[in-house]
């Protein structure tokens, strides 16, 4: 048995030296164990080891002011000592060239030719005007006989009384042996045209107006197509609203076929009526044409008939019907080319105008201008598909 008593056995009293030895031995063993454990513990990433730097156990983080100061120092460095690598210019991948102006404003419209120059303001005299090319036509002055003057006066009097048949008869007699496109010719045809328009809308007899009885299976569009007329005329002449018709009702009809001839030299539009056995001149109106030869000489057909048209300009502007800037009037007859004189014939038409003083002159962008009351007659009488011939003479 050991001579040392650690004070663990009951009933035996240990000495003071024995207790001191126990404490020292315990402390020594604890220190050695702690040192071994500490030595073999792994160090965490980002921490400074006390073994390596016992004075800096926790690193000092920079404050915002220090960060901004560092940034300013870097920005103020000379270019030759700047740590930033020089920038290289990047080339675009698959570069797209800018669209030309005509592609950007790719707008199509039935009421202008994209190649037309802008119209001059009202009252502006163009260079073509100064040369006489775009000034009003001066009709040939032919001497009238007293008989012709008397007949024309009689026709005008009958027209005022709305005696359209008498006015037509007297005007036709006054036109016998008259030089075409002369001043008297124009006066006589103005009265004769008005008389025939009166017959078309109010007459019940004669070679223009016929009666037709609606049959089973008829439609307004079918009747209009059969007689080369328009639904608009049938409604207006017979006071029909909509397209509903009744079997047995009688309609007033003015059969076609029609043809339009435009003379640029005389600035007249002539409407011909073709029947089974002949073709005769039905009406004549004064017109305005394109300045500087913008109205082409070619054959067209009416492709659409527009009431209350909007005005499309070459620069992309659109003036709605009713706006003060819209110059097309009440009606627009769009022309589609049948023959081409070497360039696309797009955007031409026959229309009215707010400036009726331009009728007789060459001031448009290429369209044929008419007085509003005159183009209204064409709109109602002439159907889609009607041929239009524009001639130099």
């Amino acid at each position: 048995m050991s001579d040392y008593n650690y004070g663990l056995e009951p009933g035996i009293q240990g000495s003071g030296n024995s207790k001191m030895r126990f404490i020292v031995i315990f402390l020594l063993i604890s220190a050695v164990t702690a040192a071994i454990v500490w030595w073999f513990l792994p160090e965490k990433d980002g921490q400074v080891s006390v073994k390596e730097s016992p004075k800096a156990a926790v690193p000092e983080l920079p404050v915002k002011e220090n960060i901004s100061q560092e940034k300013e120092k870097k920005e103020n460095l000379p270019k030759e000592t700047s740590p930033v690598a020089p920038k290289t210019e990047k080339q675009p991948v698959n570069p797209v060239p800018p669209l030309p102006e005509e592609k950007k404003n790719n707008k199509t419209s039935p009421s202008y030719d994209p190649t037309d120059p802008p119209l001059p303001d009202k009252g502006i005299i163009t260079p073509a005007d100064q040369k006489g090319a775009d000034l009003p036509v001066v009709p040939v002055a032919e001497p009238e006989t007293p008989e012709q003057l008397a007949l024309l006066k009689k026709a005008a009097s009958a027209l005022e009384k709305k005696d359209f048949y008498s006015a037509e008869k007297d005007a036709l007699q006054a036109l016998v042996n008259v030089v075409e496109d002369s001043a008297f010719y124009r006066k006589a045809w103005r009265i004769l045209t008005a008389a025939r328009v009166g017959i078309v809308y109010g007459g019940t007899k004669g070679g223009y107006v016929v009666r037709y009885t609606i049959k089973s299976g008829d439609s307004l569009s079918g009747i209009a197509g059969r007689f080369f007329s328009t639904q608009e005329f049938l409604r207006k002449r017979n006071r029909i609203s909509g397209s509903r018709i009744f079997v047995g009702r009688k309609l007033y009809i003015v059969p076609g076929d029609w043809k339009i001839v435009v003379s640029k030299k005389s600035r007249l539009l002539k409407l011909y009526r073709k029947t089974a056995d002949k073709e005769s001149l039905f009406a004549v109106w004064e017109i305005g044409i394109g300045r500087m030869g913008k109205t082409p000489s070619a054959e067209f057909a009416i492709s659409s008939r527009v009431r209350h048209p909007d005005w499309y300009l070459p620069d992309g502007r659109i003036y709605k019907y009713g706006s003060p800037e819209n110059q097309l009037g009440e009606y627009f007859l769009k022309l589609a080319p049948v023959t081409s004189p070497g360039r696309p014939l797009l955007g031409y038409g026959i229309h009215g105008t707010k400036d009726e003083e331009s009728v007789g002159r060459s001031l448009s962008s290429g369209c044929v201008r008419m007085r509003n009351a005159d183009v209204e007659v064409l709109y109602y009488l002439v159907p889609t598909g009607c041929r239009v011939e524009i001639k130099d003479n």
Side-chain angles (χ1 to χ4, degrees):
M1 182 175 180
S2 175
D3 292 335
Y4 296 99
N5 183 4
Y6 293 99
L8 300 177
E9 299 180 12
I12 301 178
Q13 184 177 1
S15 64
N17 292 332
S18 297
K19 294 179 178 180
M20 183 61 66
R21 289 192 195 99
F22 179 80
I23 293 171
V24 171
I25 291 171
F26 177 79
L27 292 174
L28 181 61
I29 293 171
S30 299
V32 172
T33 302
I36 292 172
V37 173
W38 172 81
W39 184 262
F40 287 100
L41 278 174
E43 298 177 2
K44 294 182 180 181
D45 295 338
Q47 293 182 346
V48 179
S49 174
V50 180
K51 294 177 289 185
E52 297 175 0
S53 179
K55 293 183 180 180
V58 180
E60 184 179 359
L61 295 176
V63 296
K64 292 183 179 180
E65 294 180 359
N66 294 335
I67 294 174
S68 61
Q69 290 175 1
E70 290 296 328
K71 184 177 180 181
E72 291 178 0
K73 288 180 181 179
K74 290 182 180 180
E75 291 177 351
N76 294 330
L77 286 175
K79 291 183 179 180
E80 58 270 13
T81 60
S82 174
V84 181
K87 295 182 179 180
T88 58
E89 185 176 354
K90 295 182 179 180
Q91 297 295 329
V93 180
N94 297 327
V96 180
L99 292 174
E101 292 298 324
E102 60 270 19
K103 296 293 182 182
K104 290 181 180 178
N105 297 325
N106 186 17
K107 298 181 180 294
T108 59
S109 165
S111 58
Y112 74 86
D113 179 357
T115 63
D116 287 343
L119 289 176
D121 294 332
K122 184 177 179 180
I124 297 298
I125 302 299
T126 65
D129 281 338
Q130 296 174 357
K131 296 178 181 179
D134 288 349
L135 291 175
V137 171
V138 179
V140 178
E142 289 288 331
E144 303 94 357
T145 64
E147 292 78 9
Q148 290 174 329
L149 292 174
L151 285 170
L152 194 60
K153 184 177 180 180
K154 186 178 178 182
S157 176
L159 184 63
E160 289 181 2
K161 298 175 183 178
K162 296 186 179 181
D163 184 358
F164 302 122
Y165 291 100
S166 297
E168 179 191 29
K169 179 182 176 181
D170 293 334
L172 280 173
Q173 290 181 358
L175 280 166
V176 175
N177 297 325
V178 171
V179 176
E180 187 175 1
D181 297 341
S182 64
F184 186 83
Y185 176 92
R186 293 167 185 262
K187 291 178 184 179
W189 264 108
R190 194 174 300 127
I191 295 174
L192 178 57
T193 298
R196 286 180 171 173
V197 170
I199 293 172
V200 161
Y201 284 112
T204 58
K205 61 179 181 178
Y208 314 115
V209 181
V210 298
R211 299 290 296 275
Y212 176 78
T213 303
I214 299 174
K215 299 177 178 60
S216 178
D218 278 342
S219 65
L220 206 61
S221 60
I223 296 172
R226 191 184 314 161
F227 290 96
F228 303 99
S229 185
T230 69
Q231 296 183 63
E232 291 82 359
F233 174 78
L234 294 179
R235 291 192 188 98
K236 185 173 182 178
R237 178 65 174 85
N238 298 281
R239 300 180 181 180
I240 299 174
S241 60
S243 299
R244 189 176 182 183
I245 56 177
F246 301 94
V247 175
R249 179 178 175 178
K250 294 185 180 296
L251 298 180
Y252 290 105
I253 299 176
V254 178
D257 194 5
W258 304 96
K259 184 181 78 172
I260 295 173
V261 176
V262 172
S263 171
K264 294 194 293 183
K265 180 179 179 181
S266 60
R267 292 169 197 167
L268 293 176
L269 184 149
K270 299 180 179 181
L271 178 63
Y272 289 86
R273 182 170 176 265
K274 297 186 291 182
T275 58
D277 56 344
K278 63 178 180 179
E279 178 182 276
S280 58
L281 184 57
F282 179 81
V284 176
W285 292 284
E286 293 181 311
I287 58 168
I289 60 173
R291 62 192 180 99
M292 296 181 287
K294 295 300 294 182
T295 301
S297 297
E299 289 187 20
F300 297 88
I302 294 177
S303 60
S304 63
R305 300 156 51 254
V306 183
R307 184 181 183 185
H308 299 167
D310 298 331
W311 189 26
Y312 294 79
L313 274 72
D315 58 8
R317 290 176 294 168
I318 302 175
Y319 293 121
K320 295 293 184 180
Y321 170 78
S323 65
E325 296 84 0
N326 190 315
Q327 301 296 317
L328 297 185
E330 298 287 324
Y331 304 96
F332 184 89
L333 306 179
K334 181 182 178 182
L335 300 180
V338 176
T339 61
S340 175
R343 70 182 181 94
L345 301 177
L346 302 175
Y348 295 101
I350 303 172
H351 61 80
T353 177
K354 285 189 174 181
D355 182 14
E356 295 196 348
E357 294 179 0
S358 65
V359 174
R361 298 189 62 186
S362 300
L363 288 177
S364 77
S365 290
C367 290
V368 176
R369 292 184 180 183
M370 300 182 70
R371 294 182 176 89
N372 295 312
D374 298 340
V375 74
E376 180 180 358
V377 176
L378 275 185
Y379 173 81
Y380 281 99
L381 278 184
V382 176
T384 300
C386 175
R387 291 300 182 99
V388 178
E389 182 182 358
I390 300 179
K391 304 190 302 182
D392 290 326
N393 296 325

